Amino acid sequence: MNTFTPASTNPAKQKMLRGEPAIGAACGLGAPLAAEMLSRAGFDFILVDNQHGVWTDETSTVALRYICLGSAVPMVRVRWNDFSAIGQLLDRGALGLVVPMVNSTEEARAAAFAARYPPRGGRSSGGALTLHFGSDYDQWVNDQLFLAVQIESVQAVEHAEEILGVDGIDGCWIGPADLARSMGVDRSTTAGAQAHREMILRVAEACRKTGKIAGISGDVDLRFWVQNGFRFITASWDGGLLLEGAKQVFNFLSMD
């Protein structure tokens, strides 16, 4: 079970700042117990996906609390870059935040402003649901929070260095599928895969230049991304892990 002190509240962020990869899993099935089970499996963080998952406000709240029963850091992806949506999920106990579809410095500044308390931002106080973090939560959360913006369009890649240079942005989380659609490439072809990979590596270079953490939803080629400087990596998601586990059972049963 997690124990929360200012020195150890977000070990996933601290690991990334040391230059080590933090490996996590996304949860989209809307099952808080699944999030808890994955937190006990050894992942550095569990990402409750409010953008593409089937979470409600209530189930997100429960999942963020259940994740704390394991060793992983509770993180979320918000539905949209919205001040209220960001504040609500932080109030429910998220210590990491992924904001989708950030294409400009203005959008990055809006996310940073919403995510942190004054004087570093404009987040409203009201953390009654963060009592499990201790009475001093307000004093350390600005430093311990990990805020990543999603770079997932050609426009965002073209402006990645400026976006990542915004104060309060800790790093990025590249969305490979949306980036490929924005580029108009087919990743199943050699040429498309190469162009796509080169575009992603441009973002990694922008992270190096700005001193920010490169991240990716990388359910394939994990070793390649780690070797190329990515530190915030989701290795899989709850539905995919469930499906793969089921397939392994039937593969075993079909063996002679």
Side-chain angles (χ1 to χ4, degrees):
M1 180 184 297
N2 270 322
T3 55
F4 299 105
T5 65
S8 62
T9 299
N10 196 336
K13 179 177 182 178
Q14 293 161 12
K15 193 173 186 180
M16 291 184 280
L17 290 174
R18 292 195 302 268
E20 303 170 24
I23 307 299
C27 286
L29 295 179
L33 285 173
E36 179 193 340
M37 292 172 70
L38 290 175
S39 181
R40 295 177 183 273
F43 289 106
D44 294 302
F45 65 90
I46 303 298
L47 183 76
V48 178
D49 187 359
N50 274 251
Q51 185 190 24
H52 292 302
V54 292
W55 299 97
T56 65
D57 287 345
E58 181 178 355
T59 56
S60 291
T61 302
V62 176
L64 290 168
R65 186 64 67 91
Y66 279 14
I67 290 167
C68 295
L69 297 174
S71 60
V73 174
M75 299 194 182
V76 295
R77 172 159 63 171
V78 296
R79 292 182 176 89
W80 193 246
N81 188 0
D82 176 80
F83 182 89
S84 295
I86 289 171
Q88 286 174 353
L89 284 168
L90 292 175
D91 285 350
R92 284 158 173 71
L95 293 177
L97 188 71
V98 173
V99 180
M101 294 291 182
V102 173
N103 295 309
S104 67
T105 55
E106 292 78 14
E107 292 171 357
R109 290 190 190 99
F113 180 79
R116 286 184 167 88
Y117 289 126
R120 294 169 61 183
R123 180 184 170 187
S124 175
S125 297
L129 296 175
T130 59
L131 294 177
H132 58 302
F133 289 133
S135 59
D136 58 348
Y137 167 83
D138 287 6
Q139 299 174 28
W140 52 255
V141 69
N142 273 356
D143 292 326
Q144 293 293 328
L145 176 69
F146 177 72
L147 173 59
V149 293
Q150 282 204 257
I151 305 291
E152 47 189 345
S153 71
V154 172
Q155 178 186 350
V157 174
E158 295 292 341
H159 297 281
E161 196 169 334
E162 301 99 286
I163 291 170
L164 290 162
V166 169
D167 187 38
I169 301 300
D170 297 299
C172 71
W173 194 58
I174 297 170
D178 281 324
L179 179 57
R181 290 189 178 94
S182 177
M183 294 173 63
V185 300
D186 181 355
R187 289 186 290 169
S188 67
T189 68
T190 301
Q194 181 62 30
H196 184 250
R197 179 166 286 189
E198 289 174 357
M199 187 73 81
I200 291 173
L201 292 176
R202 286 178 59 185
V203 181
E205 179 61 24
C207 286
R208 279 190 285 271
K209 288 181 177 179
T210 56
K212 301 300 175 69
I213 293 167
I216 191 167
S217 175
D219 54 356
V220 294
D221 294 335
L222 291 181
R223 190 178 299 276
F224 175 84
W225 299 125
V226 171
Q227 290 173 343
N228 281 273
F230 286 82
R231 297 293 176 260
F232 179 52
I233 302 171
T234 45
S236 190
W237 68 294
D238 52 356
L241 291 167
L242 178 64
L243 183 60
E244 288 305 312
K247 286 180 177 178
Q248 288 180 21
V249 172
F250 282 99
N251 288 340
F252 175 78
L253 292 175
S254 65
M255 293 174 62
D256 293 332

